[in-house]
């Protein structure tokens, strides 16, 4: 009895241990499955972290690349701005060299008393020609004389019988006066350079400009007093004195008889002939220009009665008689 009980209890205990072992096995198997799940989850997380790391690295590389591009763009802009500033500086220097008023200020810095004295001196020939005579290097007086000559020419056109049609004579007068002053001054300066005369371009402009004072006096008097004999007297006296003044100054600054003759003869001929042109031919030339541009001043068309020939009268009479008979 007790032995059997022991035998029975033994298997029972063995079964209990087996049950316990199965539970242990079940527990270990469950834990192993959990570990596998955790490992799988960890691997996913690691893969996600690696993917995020690679994306972050790609973004960093892109940022570095864009940073390089931005740096290059900034360098390009800086170089372009620097080149623009250098070009602007050079252009401003070039323009300021010619547009600066300080360059022209010495040529117009003159007192009215000095201008009046130089106007009077332009009518008095120089006696001493053994040493170079002084020439005023200013352009205010000559410029005012040129504008005065323009006004006198316009006044002469208005007081004369010139017909002004649909236009102004200001442009023609300004072109004539300034063309003579600048053109003859340039030509005489070139001739003086060939003849080794000691004179500059500004001095030549000043000398010839003050020489127009005699022209202004002569034309103003003769435009208001219409006598040819008076014009010839003023042409010889007033125009001759201003021309002699310029000739004497050029003679004092030129070495050599041939050079003096060529230079002074050319200047005297041009200056005196210009006064004759302004008095006699200027109005006619302007009228010719106006006729060329606007057409001749033709009177309006008018109907004029014409004489009917005798034959036509006879034909008309016979026709009228025939019509009367038929009626």
């Amino acid at each position: 009895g007790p032995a059997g009980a022991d035998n029975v209890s033994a298997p029972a205990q063995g079964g209990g241990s087996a049950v316990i072992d199965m539970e242990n096995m079940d527990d270990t198997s469950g834990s192993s499955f959990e570990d596998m799940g955790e490992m799988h989850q960890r691997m996913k997380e690691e893969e996600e972290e690696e993917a995020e790391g690679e994306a972050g690295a790609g973004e960093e590389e892109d940022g570095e690349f864009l940073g390089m591009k931005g740096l290059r763009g900034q360098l390009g802009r800086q170089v372009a701005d620097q080149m623009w500033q250098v070009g602007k500086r050079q252009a401003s220097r070039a323009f300021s060299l010619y547009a600066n008023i300080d360059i022209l200020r010495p040529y117009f810095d003159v007192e009215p008393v000095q201008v009046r004295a130089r106007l009077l001196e332009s009518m008095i020939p120089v006696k001493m020609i053994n040493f170079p005579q002084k020439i005023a290097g200013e352009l205010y007086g000559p410029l005012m004389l040129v504008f005065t000559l323009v006004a006198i020419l316009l006044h002469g056109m208005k007081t004369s019988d010139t017909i002004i049609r649909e236009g102004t004579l200001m442009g023609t007068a300004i072109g004539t006066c300034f063309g003579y002053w600048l053109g003859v001054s340039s030509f005489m300066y070139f001739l003086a350079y060939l003849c080794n005369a000691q004179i500059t371009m500004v001095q030549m402009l000043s000398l010839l400009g003050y020489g127009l004072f005699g022209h202004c006096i002569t034309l103003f008097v003769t435009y208001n007093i219409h006598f040819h004999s008076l014009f010839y007297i003023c042409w010889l006296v007033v125009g001759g004195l201003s021309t002699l003044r310029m000739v004497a100054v050029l003679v004092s600054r030129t070495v050599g008889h041939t050079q003096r003759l060529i230079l002074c003869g050319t200047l005297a001929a041009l200056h005196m002939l210009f006064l004759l042109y302004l008095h006699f031919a200027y109005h006619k030339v302007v009228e010719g220009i106006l006729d060329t541009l606007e057409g001749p001043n033709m009177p309006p068309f008018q109907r004029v009665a014409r004489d009917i020939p005798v034959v036509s009268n006879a034909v008309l009479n016979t026709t009228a008689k025939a019509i009367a008979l038929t009626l």
Side-chain angles (χ1 to χ4, degrees), residues 42-304:
R42 286 177 185 177
M43 288 177 64
K44 285 185 177 180
E45 291 176 358
E46 288 178 358
E47 289 178 358
E48 290 178 358
E49 289 178 357
E50 288 179 359
E52 290 178 359
E54 290 178 357
E59 289 179 358
E60 290 180 358
E61 290 178 358
D62 293 338
E64 292 178 358
F65 182 69
L66 292 175
M68 289 296 293
K69 280 189 175 181
L71 183 61
R72 290 177 183 175
Q74 290 179 359
L75 290 175
R77 284 194 296 271
Q78 289 179 359
V79 172
D81 292 338
Q82 187 175 3
M83 292 178 64
W84 169 256
Q85 293 295 332
V86 171
K88 184 179 179 181
R89 200 178 301 116
Q90 292 178 354
S92 62
R93 288 178 182 175
F95 281 110
S96 64
L97 179 64
Y98 295 100
N100 196 356
I101 194 172
D102 293 334
I103 298 175
L104 300 176
R105 185 175 296 173
Y107 303 114
F108 294 91
D109 188 10
V110 62
E111 296 294 332
V113 179
Q114 295 177 348
V115 175
R116 183 180 61 187
R118 288 165 184 170
L119 289 175
L120 295 176
E121 290 175 359
S122 66
M123 303 298 296
I124 302 173
V126 179
K127 295 180 180 179
M128 300 297 292
I129 59 174
N130 294 326
F131 58 92
Q133 296 294 323
K134 184 179 179 181
I135 302 175
E138 54 96 5
L139 299 176
Y140 176 78
L143 189 62
M144 293 300 105
L145 282 173
V146 172
F147 280 117
T148 305
L149 186 59
V150 170
I152 291 173
L153 289 178
L154 294 176
H155 173 69
M157 294 293 288
K158 290 180 180 180
T159 55
S160 65
D161 296 332
T162 304
I163 301 173
I164 303 174
R165 302 182 302 274
E166 297 181 1
T168 176
L169 302 174
M170 180 83 62
T172 308
I174 290 176
T176 302
C177 297
F178 275 92
Y180 172 77
W181 181 43
L182 299 176
V184 174
S185 297
S186 302
F187 175 72
M188 292 306 301
Y189 174 71
F190 175 71
L191 199 61
Y193 175 77
L194 296 179
C195 296
N196 294 324
Q198 300 176 0
I199 191 170
T200 62
M201 184 64 187
V202 176
Q203 291 175 342
M204 182 61 74
L205 287 170
S206 178
L207 183 65
L208 189 64
Y210 277 110
L212 293 174
F213 182 57
H215 288 34
C216 293
I217 295 175
T218 303
L219 293 175
F220 182 74
V221 172
T222 55
Y223 279 161
N224 294 299
I225 303 174
H226 301 283
F227 291 108
H228 290 291
S229 58
L230 180 63
F231 168 75
Y232 287 118
I233 293 172
C234 292
W235 178 68
L236 288 173
V237 176
V238 182
L241 287 175
S242 63
T243 304
L244 283 176
R245 167 73 182 188
M246 294 190 298
V247 167
V249 172
L250 285 179
V251 167
S252 66
R253 289 175 169 266
T254 309
V255 179
H257 296 287
T258 306
Q259 289 84 351
R260 288 178 176 177
L261 182 61
I262 294 173
L263 189 61
C264 298
T266 304
L267 180 59
L270 290 174
H271 202 63
M272 297 297 286
L273 290 175
F274 182 64
L275 183 55
L276 288 175
Y277 166 76
L278 291 179
H279 185 267
F280 290 106
Y282 176 72
H283 294 180
K284 296 179 180 179
V285 170
V286 172
E287 288 179 358
I289 292 173
L290 291 175
D291 291 338
T292 303
L293 295 177
E294 301 176 3
N297 190 16
M298 296 293 294
F301 178 74
Q302 297 178 355
R303 294 184 178 274
V304 180

